[in-house]
Amino acid sequence: MSTIADRLIEDEGLRRGVSRLTPEKIEKVFKELIAGECGARLKTYVESCVRCGMCAKACHYYMSHKDPSYTPVAKVSQTMWRLLAAGGRVEPQVIYECAQVAYTECNLCRRCIHYCPLGIDTGYIISVVRRLCHKLGVTPQYIQDTAHSHSAVLNQMWVKDDEWPDTLQWQEEEAREEFPGLRIPLDVEGADFMYSVIAPEPKFRTQLIYQAAAIFNAAGLNWTMPATPGWDNSNMAMFTGDSEIMSRVERAHYETAQRLRVKRIVMGECGHAFRAVYDVANRWLGWKWHPVPVVHSVEFFWELIQQGRIKITHKYADPVTIHDPCNIIRGRGLMDKLREVTHFLCENVVEMSPNREHNYCCCAGGGVINCGPPFKNVRIVGNSIKAEQLRATGVHTLVAPCHNCHGGLEDIISKFGLGMHTKFLGDLIYELMEKPEAE
Amino acid sequence: MHALYDLAVGPLAWLAFGVFIIGSVYRLLAMRALALRKDGAFVAYVSWPHAFKSLAHWFTPFGALGWRENPGVTIATFIFHICLFLVPLFLMGHIVLFDTFRGWSWPALPDGAADVLAIVVVVICAYFLWRRLSVPEVRFVTSAQDVLVVSLVGLTFLTGVLAYHRIGDNLVLTTLHILSGEAMLVAIPFTRLSHMLFGVFSRGYIASEFGSVRHAKDW
Amino acid sequence: MKRRTTPLALVAFVAALLLALPALSQQDMTTVPDEAFKTRTRPPALFKHDEHNEKAKLDDCTACHHGEKDGKRDPGADTSGIPCSDCHAVEAKPGRTPLMRAFHKQCLGCHMTQKKGPVTCGDCHKPVK
Ligand code: HEM
Ligand code: HEM
Ligand code: SF4
Ligand code: SF4
């Protein structure tokens, strides 16, 4: 049977990383990691997994490749079990293999938890493998670059400190042509909420900032965006296994909100960022819950609709289908609100199957898409199951309130010729809303 | 053989029960201590109401996505596990030993019914072994220990059935049965069979995370 | 068969009763009498009385046919001829030994201490050949 060793892909970062390793060094770091950071969860999962293979069907990689080395349990067997069995004393090449599995063949989407009768969290085990690889300096080059960026400038895209307010002001100017009184309020202390986005928005999706401003403006909200670092809510360090940088990024994000004394943080339509802020980094920082409440856009739009603050001129007529992003559905249970918002906006919603908590992942998340071109093909071919699922809906518009999902879905749409286009809720709301000052 | 039988049915039986019970309690307590020491940021979210709700789904055949998507294993594993507890606990042959030597007695299953259920367990063990060796995704992750534990369960039930039907030398088979049953009990706290101890907690924990933090179901 | 006589009138009465029973019953018996059980779950235990006692070199009837004193087994009393089920009810009161347990203790218990004789279910509960 083929294994990870039979499909190694050359990556600059991984290759350079392993070239610096020796079995002794790996053993030392592995033992420290297991003794220092791992406890009952890892031990229970590894010991009580009955190797029943029931989780196989959970994973889109397996369902697409139909290769037994892509099942959740096989990913664990090729990484963590192997390391544990050897007490961490392995050849550097093994770390290359572990890194490729952990960074590029698992999206940490947690779908397999719905399949494993023992509730084994494969995503967690894979995160531990990533943590090891990070500590050993074996990370894919592309994603490591984003982690470096987080470390240097506290955002993912090397956006410089002055570039950020410039971009916001540029978007404000543009939007004022359409909505004369519109502001993108910078650093307003005591605003109702701080709106945070991921760094790719100012870098190459400025339209999304424009739209958000238009929506908040139309709704007459008291909001602000920070002028200082801490505005980026994305967190690739979480996915490289660099918990230290991860928590620095999140601390800056929370502290920015605290400095502005806002009531809460509203996060743009991104899933992984929400996971980092809501579920992961707070724990590393020692907070059980959040020092400032955090709300994802889906929930925020839902509230605005409930309050009658979003008015639309008409409904979107073409049938749409909904993609449930892992990190806000299995990660936050927003499936009902996502549907209510979509039904509010669209005439005709065709559900894909399976959906809600059982939805297949886009195969971009978990940092996989951020590992860049070398691994692109595996992830696209590795999601033919999603392509089939999309095709079966027969619709041409796909609502997906997550950046990563957009990336992953657009790739499979073009690869499999599905003839669909993806939309954020913000895209739809902006397109359909009553535009107050647009006379 | 007589002496071995005496040993197996007497001292070894107590030893096996002792190791099983004390070993299980020890492992549970040690794991709890480890969780409190090292997994504080996760134990903090444990929520029993969510855990119980999820466990109710997972203890229902086809009550969770994983069960529905693996119907063959689901049917097999539910019957297997129910019989695994039902047959030995309510088996006349077992109760008689307690009754004779300890004076403890409780209602037994009719011998015929217990026999059928025991044979079913043997058949399911054979099915599990077959899966291990021929279903690619299962074979990929199968180790010697996995084959061993299913075989141990299968052997215990098989020798029990043979003894009941008086196939082969009864003393030899009964002794073999008792020894393999004892080996199985001893194996529970220290092998993969420890899923019996930890399974509800690992599910209960993740159900808590899903329920109280992520507000999503995990079944 | 040798029998120890006792002065007790009660025992004389029992002996008289015994004589009234078919004289050949012990030589003929092939199984432990199980008539008292309303339902039978296994074939009656194989037991050829005289052959067993010869093999086991058992002369003393009270080794099995014991009496009872203060709720305890009384090896002094010879109860030969009284059906076991007269004292050991199938459904015994608390503190009493029910019939099945009595049989099992009697046979299995002795076989275990003597390290001789059948001890498994199937070596006793089997059809008479
Ligand atoms: C302490 C250890 C054990 C002892 C002393 C013991 C003893 C016995 C005895 C005396 C029998 C009677 C056989 C007959 O009816 O002829 C028996 C049957 C049986 N035992 Fe055990 N046993 C032990 C452990 C187990 C365990 C752990 C299991 C299963 C989990 C098990 C399953 C069975 C089965 C399936 C039968 C046969 C049922 C039938 O076909 O009627 N035993 N055992
Ligand atoms: C509360 C107790 C238990 C629970 C909830 C439980 C649950 C499970 C589950 C969910 C599986 C996976 C499905 C499958 O492969 O069949 C499994 C497998 C298994 N269980 Fe248990 N189990 C329990 C107790 C036991 C005990 C006491 C034994 C044996 C002594 C046992 C033996 C096995 C074996 C051998 C397998 C693997 C079957 C295979 O090879 O695929 N289980 N158990
Ligand atoms: S990609 Fe998702 S389903 Fe597959 S192993 Fe990773 S977490 Fe599980
Ligand atoms: S479903 Fe769970 S227990 Fe079964 S092989 Fe997968 S991880 Fe292991």
Side-chain angles (χ1 to χ4, degrees):
Chain A
M1 277 190 263
S2 92
T3 68
I4 177 66
D6 302 315
R7 55 168 180 271
L8 288 182
I9 292 172
E10 267 313 300
D11 179 274
E12 203 48 42
L14 297 181
R15 187 55 69 201
R16 204 172 338 104
V18 294
S19 73
R20 295 186 289 243
L21 296 178
T22 60
E24 295 72 35
K25 190 168 170 188
I26 299 168
E27 180 181 10
K28 180 168 175 289
V29 174
F30 180 76
K31 289 208 162 124
E32 279 169 10
L33 175 70
I34 297 297
E37 294 182 23
C38 302
R41 279 189 304 160
L42 184 67
K43 197 169 181 156
T44 312
Y45 290 160
V46 169
E47 187 180 316
S48 60
C49 167
V50 287
R51 280 80 162 151
C52 62
M54 277 179 57
C55 49
K57 293 196 182 76
C59 190
H60 44 286
Y61 280 98
Y62 171 74
M63 293 302 280
S64 305
H65 288 283
K66 286 286 178 201
D67 175 329
S69 64
Y70 279 108
T71 68
V73 59
K75 294 174 203 178
V76 177
S77 84
Q78 292 171 97
T79 58
M80 187 49 86
W81 295 353
R82 201 172 168 195
L83 293 166
L84 284 169
R89 200 179 177 85
V90 294
E91 289 302 318
Q93 184 61 15
V94 173
I95 298 299
Y96 197 109
E97 296 171 20
C98 288
Q100 185 172 327
V101 171
Y103 288 111
T104 75
E105 297 182 359
C106 173
N107 302 96
L108 313 181
C109 76
R110 303 196 185 111
R111 189 170 194 264
C112 36
I113 289 171
H114 287 263
Y115 281 71
C116 172
L118 296 155
I120 291 172
D121 186 351
T122 302
Y124 162 71
I125 304 174
I126 295 297
S127 309
V128 178
V129 178
R130 290 187 182 191
R131 177 88 173 132
L132 173 73
C133 293
H134 157 74
K135 282 180 172 259
L136 292 170
V138 183
T139 48
Q141 187 186 28
Y142 277 78
I143 192 169
Q144 185 56 48
D145 180 68
T146 62
H148 284 326
S149 173
H150 278 302
S151 159
V153 291
L154 283 178
N155 72 68
Q156 195 200 120
M157 295 265 109
W158 301 103
V159 177
K160 293 194 208 69
D161 286 4
D162 56 344
E163 229 180 299
W164 163 248
D166 276 2
T167 307
L168 296 185
Q169 281 169 351
W170 163 46
Q171 286 308 304
E172 184 182 78
E173 245 174 76
E174 297 261 303
R176 282 170 79 91
E177 285 178 21
E178 191 179 0
F179 310 99
L182 180 145
R183 295 297 313 272
I184 295 183
L186 279 185
D187 254 12
V188 177
E189 282 192 27
D192 284 346
F193 68 94
M194 172 177 105
Y195 184 60
S196 65
V197 296
I198 63 170
E201 293 203 12
K203 202 74 183 178
F204 39 70
R205 293 224 189 201
T206 48
Q207 171 67 10
L208 293 172
I209 298 176
Y210 178 113
Q211 288 174 177
I215 296 166
F216 299 159
N217 178 61
L221 305 178
N222 173 14
W223 65 295
T224 187
M225 288 181 95
T228 57
W231 53 267
D232 178 14
N233 58 25
S234 76
N235 207 324
M236 281 301 134
M238 166 173 76
F239 287 147
T240 61
D242 191 343
S243 310
E244 290 78 11
I245 300 293
M246 165 188 79
S247 49
R248 264 186 62 214
V249 169
E250 279 340 318
R251 177 182 285 276
H253 183 240
Y254 278 124
E255 286 181 352
T256 303
Q258 287 174 315
R259 174 174 66 74
L260 295 173
R261 295 187 292 105
V262 293
K263 296 196 186 72
R264 54 184 183 165
I265 300 169
V266 173
M267 300 180 54
E269 292 181 63
C270 180
H272 96 272
F274 190 78
R275 178 186 186 130
V277 176
Y278 179 81
D279 196 353
V280 182
N282 57 313
R283 302 187 192 206
W284 189 269
L285 289 165
W287 289 317
K288 183 172 178 189
W289 299 109
H290 316 99
V292 181
V294 285
V295 184
H296 188 270
S297 275
V298 168
E299 184 167 6
F300 188 65
F301 290 145
W302 178 84
E303 279 178 24
L304 294 181
I305 290 168
Q306 295 298 303
Q307 295 162 359
R309 285 173 182 269
I310 293 179
K311 296 191 183 64
I312 54 172
T313 54
H314 63 284
K315 284 195 171 197
Y316 191 79
D318 277 356
V320 305
T321 187
I322 300 173
H323 169 75
D324 292 276
C326 314
N327 286 319
I328 60 165
I329 305 301
R330 281 190 283 277
R332 182 57 184 83
L334 295 181
M335 52 277 168
D336 291 316
K337 287 176 176 153
L338 172 57
R339 279 170 178 69
E340 286 174 37
V341 173
T342 311
H343 281 268
F344 173 80
L345 299 169
C346 303
E347 210 74 79
N348 186 353
V349 180
V350 181
E351 289 286 354
M352 61 176 88
S353 163
N355 60 1
R356 301 169 64 92
E357 287 105 324
H358 297 158
N359 194 27
Y360 281 116
C361 173
C362 64
C363 206
V368 171
I369 194 171
N370 309 74
C371 292
F375 306 100
K376 186 173 178 185
N377 202 40
V378 177
R379 121 179 111 74
I380 296 174
V381 178
N383 212 359
S384 62
I385 186 78
K386 184 89 221 172
E388 284 165 31
Q389 196 191 7
L390 296 179
R391 199 194 300 278
T393 63
V395 307
H396 300 293
T397 307
L398 175 54
V399 175
C402 170
H403 278 281
N404 262 313
C405 297
H406 272 242
L409 295 170
E410 276 156 15
D411 285 338
I412 61 167
I413 286 168
S414 69
K415 163 83 183 179
F416 295 96
L418 300 178
M420 299 175 103
H421 49 272
T422 52
K423 293 229 182 253
F424 289 101
L425 289 178
D427 293 331
L428 285 171
I429 297 174
Y430 172 74
E431 184 180 332
L432 303 167
M433 73 181 191
E434 286 180 7
K435 301 196 172 72
E437 290 142 280
E439 271 100 47
Chain B
M1 207 62 216
H2 205 303
L4 187 58
Y5 174 89
D6 288 2
L7 191 69
V9 87
L12 285 185
W14 292 117
L15 190 71
F17 286 128
V19 171
F20 165 56
I21 292 167
I22 296 169
S24 299
V25 171
Y26 167 77
R27 295 242 39 212
L28 283 170
L29 291 179
M31 200 59 96
R32 178 172 177 273
L34 182 63
L36 292 175
R37 198 167 70 246
K38 299 298 290 291
D39 302 78
F42 303 91
V43 174
Y45 299 89
V46 167
S47 152
W48 291 106
H50 289 112
F52 285 125
K53 189 165 177 205
S54 167
L55 284 168
H57 277 93
W58 282 98
F59 276 111
T60 308
F62 303 105
L65 184 62
W67 292 142
R68 286 193 293 278
E69 298 270 300
N70 293 285
V73 182
T74 301
I75 293 170
T77 203
F78 271 91
I79 296 175
F80 171 79
H81 283 93
I82 291 169
C83 293
L84 202 56
F85 286 90
L86 203 63
V87 174
L89 287 179
F90 298 100
L91 188 73
M92 183 58 105
H94 292 178
I95 297 172
V96 159
L97 291 176
F98 284 100
D99 181 74
T100 308
F101 296 113
R102 293 275 112 201
W104 304 334
S105 182
W106 60 93
L109 284 168
D111 269 342
D115 185 37
V116 171
L117 296 181
I119 292 168
V120 167
V121 171
V122 175
V123 171
I124 296 177
C125 282
Y127 163 71
F128 282 153
L129 275 174
W130 169 81
R131 276 186 90 233
R132 292 238 155 270
L133 303 176
S134 42
V135 175
E137 68 267 25
V138 185
R139 191 167 123 202
F140 190 87
V141 294
T142 292
S143 66
Q145 199 198 126
D146 304 300
V147 175
L148 193 78
V149 293
V150 193
S151 309
L152 201 53
V153 178
L155 186 70
T156 302
F157 277 79
L158 179 66
T159 48
V161 169
L162 292 177
Y164 174 70
H165 289 277
R166 290 183 299 101
I167 297 169
D169 184 285
N170 205 250
L171 183 58
V172 172
L173 274 154
T174 307
T175 308
L176 204 60
H177 163 72
I178 297 170
L179 290 174
S180 55
E182 287 163 353
M184 190 184 97
L185 283 175
V186 169
I188 291 176
F190 307 109
T191 61
R192 203 134 298 147
L193 298 180
S194 65
H195 70 277
M196 169 181 167
L197 308 175
F198 299 127
V200 290
F201 296 102
S202 54
R203 181 91 249 163
Y205 156 70
I206 206 75
S208 304
E209 288 273 14
F210 268 69
S212 68
V213 179
R214 300 172 190 151
H215 307 285
K217 61 180 187 181
D218 69 321
W219 55 85
Chain C
M1 263 185 71
K2 216 172 92 183
R3 191 176 299 156
R4 185 197 290 170
T5 46
T6 68
L8 284 169
L10 184 68
V11 176
F13 173 71
V14 168
L17 208 75
L18 182 70
L19 290 172
L21 290 169
L24 289 175
S25 64
Q26 289 167 347
Q27 279 111 55
D28 282 354
M29 81 186 287
T30 50
T31 66
V32 171
D34 68 342
E35 291 77 16
F37 294 105
K38 278 187 277 325
T39 51
R40 290 178 183 78
T41 52
R42 299 266 169 136
L46 219 56
F47 183 65
K48 297 183 176 141
H49 184 273
D50 292 1
E51 203 178 305
H52 173 266
N53 295 353
E54 237 160 75
K55 223 174 174 178
K57 304 202 175 56
L58 268 180
D59 294 332
D60 181 358
C61 303
T62 62
C64 295
H65 298 281
H66 59 268
E68 182 241 305
K69 203 149 86 194
D70 305 331
K72 289 250 158 52
R73 183 184 173 117
D74 173 16
D78 186 335
T79 56
S80 308
I82 301 179
C84 308
S85 57
D86 275 16
C87 295
H88 295 289
V90 173
E91 313 275 355
K93 288 195 206 73
R96 296 284 173 156
T97 308
L99 186 60
M100 184 179 78
R101 189 184 304 160
F103 280 145
H104 283 145
K105 281 182 96 146
Q106 195 84 287
C107 304
L108 187 51
C110 186
H111 294 169
M112 297 274 284
T113 43
Q114 296 300 322
K115 311 227 175 289
K116 279 193 199 93
V119 284
T120 63
C121 313
D123 278 344
C124 289
H125 296 284
K126 56 183 181 186
V128 184
K129 273 197 217 87

